[in-house]
């Protein structure tokens, strides 16, 4: 097989900037102000998120990696032969490339919103795995997932969708269900979904993971204000907001907030918004799913056979789901 080089990249219709700015503004003007978590990931935000994944307090990355390492062969044996590895939100591709060492994937499809990073990931992957074809899709996961034109272009490779890191937890449960359904639709009869999902645990442990001693998560959270100042022309003062992470037991989610330290008025384009001291902006929800609850969600999304792999403490679960 002679892989095309440089790798092909398909750019899907991304959110129109005017539409994106309008929905950002609308969120900021609501009585309970919010910013969609997707705005956390500009270049600086991606670097800070990379640093979060190395923190002592942020257990998900390490725990998932240990589950993968421990069950690698068992999981690989359950995957279809001649697969195409669909790396959803691929970032630097590191987690997927560890799998490609063990799985007979003839094709890697990296899916991410950041085109430059994606190009870099594909080029590194193509050098490391010269026998596989490398393809990229630039898309935004908050829009309906449509990858069929790329996945169906080769009919003898069965898709394995890979969605690690508990990113599914950053969607509201109804959105998560819609995304799982869309994944299921892309799998055909024999495809598989390999997904990592964080579990509920003591609030102190969860809150420490989202409010670390070094203040990296605080910087990640405040950076969203720098990002939107640049894209929206607002005049937020990041240092005027405190980072807060609280676990809502009832909803089983971490909520990340930016809390106004003192009364202030922010200019939002033609509008203004006053924040009283203590008033806050919601910047992210991170849902934690008990294994039974996530199995239920997968079943609702149309998955039949579901295998689960966990760590000794039951902190994190990896599911392998088949239609
Ligand atoms: C990307 N996502 C799964 C992370 C999470 O744990 O919800 C984002 C994050 N936010 C703060 N720390 C990490």
């Amino acid at each position: 097989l002679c892989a095309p080089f440089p790798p092909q990249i398909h750019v899907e219709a991304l959110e129109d900037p005017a539409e994106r700015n309008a929905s950002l503004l609308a969120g900021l003007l609501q009585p309970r102000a919010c910013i969609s978590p997707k705005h956390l990931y500009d270049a600086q935000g991606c670097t800070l998120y990379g640093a979060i994944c190395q923190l002592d307090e942020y257990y998900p990355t390490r725990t998932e990696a240990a589950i993968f390492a421990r069950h690698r062969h068992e999981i690989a044996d359950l995957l279809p032969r001649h697969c195409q590895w669909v790396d959803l939100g691929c970032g630097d591709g590191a987690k997927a490339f560890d799998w490609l060492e063990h799985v007979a994937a003839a094709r890697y499809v990296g899916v991410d919103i950041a085109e430059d990073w994606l190009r870099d990931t594909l080029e590194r992957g193509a050098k490391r795995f010269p026998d596989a074809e490398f393809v990229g899709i630039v898309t935004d996961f908050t829009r309906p997932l449509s990858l069929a034109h790329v996945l169906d272009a080769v009919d003898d490779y069965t898709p394995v969708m890979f969605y690690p890191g508990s990113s599914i937890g950053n969607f509201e449960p109804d959105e998560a269900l819609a995304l799982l359904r869309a994944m299921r639709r892309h799998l055909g009869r024999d495809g598989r979904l390999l997904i990592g999902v964080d579990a509920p645990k003591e609030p102190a442990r969860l809150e420490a993971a989202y409010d670390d001693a070094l203040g990296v998560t605080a910087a990640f959270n405040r950076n969203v204000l720098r990002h939107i100042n640049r894209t929206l022309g607002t005049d937020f003062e990041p240092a005027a907001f405190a980072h807060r992470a609280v676990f809502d037991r009832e909803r089983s989610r971490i909520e990340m907030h930016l809390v106004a330290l003192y009364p202030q008025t922010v200019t939002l384009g033609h509008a203004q918004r006053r924040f009283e001291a203590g008033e806050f902006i919601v910047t992210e929800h991170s849902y934690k799913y008990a294994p039974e609850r996530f199995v239920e969600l997968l079943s609702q999304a149309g998955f039949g056979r579901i295998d689960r792999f966990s760590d000794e403490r039951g902190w994190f679960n990896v599911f392998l789901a088949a239609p």
Side-chain angles (χ1 to χ4, degrees):
L1 182 109
C2 182
F5 200 88
Q8 289 171 45
I9 297 197
H10 302 256
V11 180
E12 300 305 302
L14 297 173
E15 193 176 21
D16 167 51
E19 218 177 275
R20 182 200 56 204
N21 289 352
S23 69
L24 246 173
L25 259 182
L28 286 167
L29 289 169
Q30 277 180 48
R32 184 177 153 105
C34 63
I35 298 174
S36 162
K38 69 183 174 189
H39 300 293
L40 290 163
Y41 300 94
D42 64 341
Q44 180 83 278
C46 290
T47 302
L48 287 166
Y49 177 58
I52 288 174
C53 292
Q54 316 262 345
L55 291 168
D56 287 346
E57 295 95 329
Y58 194 72
Y59 61 85
T61 314
R62 228 173 301 118
T63 311
E64 182 185 57
I67 299 170
F68 283 161
R70 184 164 175 192
H71 296 281
R72 185 90 66 194
H73 297 289
E74 196 182 340
I75 294 174
D77 285 345
L78 294 167
L79 297 177
R81 307 278 143 225
H82 304 294
C83 63
Q84 44 181 330
W85 195 270
V86 186
D87 193 4
L88 299 166
C90 61
D92 65 6
K95 291 183 188 179
F97 294 169
D98 284 347
W99 280 98
L100 296 194
E101 296 281 359
H102 296 86
V103 167
R107 197 173 195 236
Y108 170 91
V109 182
V111 185
D112 210 288
I113 192 168
E115 186 171 348
D116 291 350
W117 284 52
L118 181 58
R119 194 172 300 282
D120 202 58
T121 299
L122 295 174
E123 286 178 0
R124 270 183 301 101
K127 283 191 192 125
R128 184 161 157 195
F129 303 97
D131 294 335
E133 182 191 355
F134 277 74
V135 183
I137 304 178
V138 179
T139 192
D140 173 352
F141 282 86
T142 59
R143 301 171 78 77
L145 192 66
S146 111
L147 314 175
H149 59 299
V150 175
L151 304 192
D152 297 348
V154 285
D155 32 50
D156 43 350
Y157 302 149
T158 311
V160 172
M161 295 232 164
F162 182 55
Y163 200 38
S166 203
S167 295
I168 194 75
N170 295 133
F171 293 90
E172 294 304 310
D174 58 331
E175 297 165 347
L177 178 59
L179 186 56
L180 292 171
R181 283 202 170 116
M183 292 177 187
R184 159 73 190 82
R185 277 198 298 276
H186 284 86
L187 291 181
R189 221 176 16 135
D190 301 318
R192 297 286 183 275
L193 168 66
L194 183 60
I195 185 167
V197 186
D198 197 13
K201 51 190 67 63
E202 324 86 80
R205 171 86 53 197
L206 282 165
E207 287 170 2
Y210 289 81
D211 192 4
D212 60 278
L214 288 178
V216 181
T217 313
F220 171 71
N221 196 9
R222 285 198 195 94
N223 176 63
V224 80
L225 298 179
R226 275 183 69 237
H227 182 205
I228 67 168
N229 279 347
R230 252 182 292 121
T231 54
L232 208 59
T234 48
D235 61 355
F236 278 104
E237 180 49 67
F241 287 83
H243 165 68
R244 179 168 71 196
V246 277
F247 183 58
D248 180 332
R249 237 183 232 274
E250 206 178 304
R251 296 188 172 88
S252 195
R253 71 185 187 199
I254 279 280
E255 292 191 4
M256 258 190 3
H257 299 161
L258 286 168
V259 189
L261 289 170
Y262 44 80
Q264 54 199 287
T265 300
V266 178
T267 305
L268 311 168
H270 300 298
Q272 292 209 312
R273 163 86 201 231
R274 174 135 182 105
F275 289 95
E276 298 305 335
E279 225 182 313
F280 62 91
I281 306 171
V282 180
T283 52
E284 185 183 66
H285 289 158
S286 192
Y287 282 85
K288 309 298 168 189
Y289 289 95
E292 322 69 73
R293 174 71 196 105
F294 201 73
V295 165
E296 198 181 302
L297 206 62
L298 285 168
S299 311
Q300 277 177 279
F303 288 92
R305 175 175 172 181
I306 299 162
D307 292 295
R308 178 169 74 92
F309 306 87
S310 190
D311 56 297
E312 296 85 13
R313 295 177 292 198
W315 279 6
F316 196 94
N317 294 291
V318 167
F319 297 87
L320 179 65

